[in-house]
Amino acid sequence: MTEPPLILASTSPYRAQLLGQLDLAFETVAPEVDEHHLDGEDPSAMVSRLARAKAAAVAAERPEAAVLGSDQCLDLDGTIRGKPGGFDAAFAQLQAASGRTAILRTSVCVIGPGGQEIGREEAPFTIVFRELSNSQIRHYLEHDRPFDCAGSLRAEGRGLALMRRTESTDPSALKGLPLIATARLLEAAGLTIL
């Protein structure tokens, strides 16, 4: 049986790098999706909805493919903290998180050939932030510039230094694509991982 082509419905270099760890051929396609949260929507529901919306948007154009969508936000006491987009918003996000516990919520969805949803899973990643001074936050932001990262956390750089401890069942969820769930869903879509 021929495996379907795989498409990552994302332009995130972090997600592409993670998916590359599974040693599968894939292409990336930017999904045309409004990523704003809905009024009253909780963080878990938002990342689940957006992961599916991204996959569905690309799957509608490429019905022969298995399409992978993912979304992530920082959940601070039920408040959604997404990509800050700039210095001031990132500074405010990290000031609010300083010394507190938050959950980085990452959802993944796979839509198989023919547009059938294979499944959707969330991989929460709990972070206990260190007490951070304004100068520490400023230093981190000036050097790492995590303005395209949910909750201003760039784990590929100094972002780990913001944390006192973490807890998760899938460490790759920190960087934006939970590979344990992703591998399981892609296998269900007909791709060979192992």
Side-chain angles (χ1 to χ4, degrees):
M1 183 171 132
T2 304
E3 294 188 5
L6 174 59
I7 300 174
L8 174 61
S10 175
T11 57
S12 165
Y14 313 112
R15 287 194 180 111
Q17 183 179 34
L18 283 165
L19 184 56
Q21 291 178 18
L22 297 180
D23 201 25
L24 296 170
F26 68 94
E27 63 180 289
T28 59
V29 175
E32 299 298 323
V33 172
D34 179 354
E35 295 191 40
H36 290 90
H37 67 275
L38 304 176
D39 288 342
E41 189 173 38
D42 70 52
S44 183
M46 184 196 75
V47 295
S48 179
R49 176 181 60 80
L50 288 176
R52 187 186 192 293
K54 291 174 184 180
V58 173
E61 301 297 319
R62 298 287 300 276
E64 80 286 2
V67 182
L68 170 64
S70 185
D71 195 68
Q72 183 179 64
C73 77
L74 188 71
D75 175 350
L76 188 62
D77 295 330
T79 302
I80 296 168
R81 310 286 175 153
K83 298 173 186 172
F87 187 94
D88 292 340
F91 193 89
Q93 283 185 346
L94 293 175
Q95 270 189 321
S98 176
R100 298 175 64 193
T101 299
I103 301 171
L104 195 61
R105 296 196 180 277
T106 308
S107 184
V108 63
C109 176
V110 172
I111 294 181
Q116 177 186 358
E117 182 176 322
I118 302 299
R120 223 180 317 181
E121 292 189 36
E122 182 182 319
F125 191 101
T126 301
I127 299 168
V128 179
F129 284 88
R130 293 173 46 188
E131 291 281 350
L132 301 166
S133 69
N134 287 347
S135 64
Q136 288 173 321
I137 294 171
R138 192 172 296 108
H139 182 79
Y140 163 70
L141 294 176
E142 288 170 353
H143 286 85
D144 277 33
R145 304 184 57 77
F147 310 132
D148 63 342
C149 299
S152 305
L153 290 171
R154 176 164 286 150
E156 297 80 5
R158 299 173 197 208
L160 294 175
L162 302 171
M163 304 171 195
R164 188 159 30 107
R165 65 181 171 82
T166 64
E167 180 181 321
S168 177
T169 59
D170 189 339
S172 58
L174 175 62
K175 295 184 180 182
L177 187 65
L179 290 180
I180 293 172
T182 296
R184 185 169 43 250
L185 293 172
L186 291 178
E187 285 179 332
L191 288 106
T192 302
I193 308 291
L194 297 174

